[in-house]
Amino acid sequence: MPLLVIDADPQQTFSGRRKDDLRRQPEAPYKVQSMTIKNPESTHVIMQNLRTLPGTTIIDTPGSLTQEGMLQLLINADYIICPYHYDLNTIDSTRAFLLAIFRLRQSYPQIKAQFIFVCNKYDVRVGKNSELKAWKIVDEYFQKFGILAPRIGSYADLERYNTIGNNDKVAKHTKRCFDFIYKTIYNIDDND
């Protein structure tokens, strides 16, 4: 299945990393392209064109809704994969993002994307009993708005990612989560 990754984040971190990775390994299993979402009209045209492509398109977006074209991305998205971590700043910003999307849905009912929440940098060694209870409440809250993917742990190997492919250690740490997301998007039952 063809895969296209669009880097629409103004920081262009993913596409910058791809350029570095291609210097070391010129063959890549999927394409990465940069895109700006400052203009709603051009973003709408791009989104319509992306819908005609075979395969899957993943768009890395800014963590805020301030770019003018974000509304067009949201209207055309099938899924919003939302990473989070159990620190107060991240939880608060994720909650604010969720509420903003749901307020937008009231004005733009064509926003139908389903949320998939991914807790990353999870460390089983961290958390007092009271924190573990609070994190459970956070997960229950997010489940009201979407589905929770299996957590991705906090591992040094994940800091050494590249855009060409995962090494065996990284694949081991992300497999459950990535398989879950894949099966959710393509509606694959575990028995298939």
Side-chain angles (χ1 to χ4, degrees):
M1 174 141 341
L3 173 65
L4 172 63
V5 175
I6 304 286
D7 191 350
D9 191 331
Q11 296 174 3
Q12 295 289 296
T13 306
F14 197 85
S15 59
R17 176 62 67 93
R18 170 49 73 94
K19 288 175 187 169
D20 291 342
D21 291 342
L22 287 174
R23 284 189 206 112
R24 289 185 290 277
Q25 184 177 340
E27 295 295 317
Y30 60 91
K31 291 184 180 181
V32 174
Q33 294 179 345
S34 295
M35 171 179 136
T36 62
I37 54 172
K38 293 178 182 176
N39 180 298
E41 293 79 20
S42 64
T43 303
H44 174 75
V45 170
I46 290 168
M47 294 303 293
Q48 295 305 307
N49 289 335
L50 290 173
R51 284 223 171 259
T52 67
L53 297 177
T56 301
T57 302
I58 297 173
I59 303 175
D60 180 22
T61 63
S64 70
L65 300 173
T66 58
Q67 294 281 320
E68 292 292 321
M70 275 299 287
L71 179 60
Q72 288 302 316
L73 287 179
L74 294 169
I75 287 171
N76 287 283
D78 295 316
Y79 292 90
I80 298 171
I81 299 174
C82 186
Y84 70 101
H85 178 61
Y86 294 124
D87 68 83
L88 291 179
N89 291 336
T90 305
I91 291 169
D92 286 346
S93 63
T94 303
R95 187 180 65 75
F97 177 75
L98 268 173
L99 294 176
I101 298 294
F102 279 88
R103 279 194 297 274
L104 277 172
R105 279 186 178 167
Q106 292 173 345
S107 300
Y108 301 93
Q110 60 272 49
I111 298 175
K112 298 185 184 326
Q114 181 179 359
F115 276 94
I116 300 174
F117 297 99
V118 177
C119 176
N120 59 21
K121 299 181 183 177
Y122 180 72
D123 190 339
V124 296
R125 302 167 301 167
V126 175
K128 297 183 238 175
N129 198 27
S130 60
E131 291 171 320
L132 296 174
K133 287 178 184 174
W135 297 343
K136 184 177 181 192
I137 292 168
V138 167
D139 287 346
E140 289 168 354
Y141 178 79
F142 288 159
Q143 282 182 304
K144 292 177 183 178
F145 298 96
I147 55 177
L148 297 181
R151 295 174 180 142
I152 296 177
S154 180
Y155 300 100
D157 295 322
L158 297 178
E159 300 296 324
R160 296 186 275 280
Y161 80 93
N162 70 63
T163 65
I164 305 294
N166 290 330
N167 65 39
D168 290 343
K169 287 181 181 179
V170 170
K172 178 182 147 196
H173 299 314
T174 58
K175 182 173 180 22
R176 278 188 63 232
C177 181
F178 289 178
D179 285 353
F180 176 87
I181 293 170
Y182 182 86
K183 288 176 181 179
T184 299
I185 290 172
Y186 292 104
N187 200 22
I188 297 172
D189 192 351
D190 279 334
N191 298 325
D192 291 344

